[in-house]
Amino acid sequence: ADAQAGRALDRAVARGGAVAHHRPDGAAALSPAPLLDHPALVETVRTWLSVHGNWEGTASALGVHRNTVRQRIARCAALLDADLDDPDVRMELWFALRDLV
């Protein structure tokens, strides 16, 4: 657990982001709370993650322009203070959003 916490701290410091919090089961937790007041952002990021970050696929599924998708994803990244280009962050966000009903 100490080694995992050390790696999480090193990663957060290296990328200039917030320190990762860990659940009791040891899994890293990225909270989607900053997005919850923005239903369009939640829908966009869920769709975007489900099509593996494909701008065109997300735009088509949502019926919006791809630049709208890019702007919304950038807004999500800013609100979450997270690098959505990082596959580990994407995975954490996918699981966090999956747990929302």
Side-chain angles (χ1 to χ4, degrees):
D2 287 338
Q4 184 181 16
R7 287 190 305 271
L9 179 59
D10 290 344
R11 181 186 176 105
V13 170
R15 67 173 213 224
V19 175
H21 300 280
H22 289 275
R23 299 187 309 236
D25 64 3
L30 175 65
S31 173
L35 302 180
L36 298 183
D37 290 335
H38 310 280
L41 294 182
V42 172
E43 179 184 26
T44 300
V45 77
R46 272 187 172 153
T47 303
W48 182 72
L49 290 168
S50 76
V51 297
H52 311 290
N54 182 283
W55 304 110
E56 293 293 333
T58 305
S60 178
L62 296 176
V64 298
H65 193 274
R66 69 179 174 269
N67 288 343
T68 301
V69 173
R70 290 177 192 265
Q71 291 169 354
R72 289 180 183 174
I73 296 301
R75 180 74 176 131
C76 290
L79 286 170
L80 294 168
D81 188 27
D83 178 7
L84 296 182
D85 290 330
D86 183 328
D88 291 332
V89 171
R90 286 186 188 192
M91 180 204 59
E92 290 175 22
L93 184 56
W94 175 256
F95 285 118
L97 290 172
R98 184 186 69 171
D99 292 339
L100 293 178
V101 177

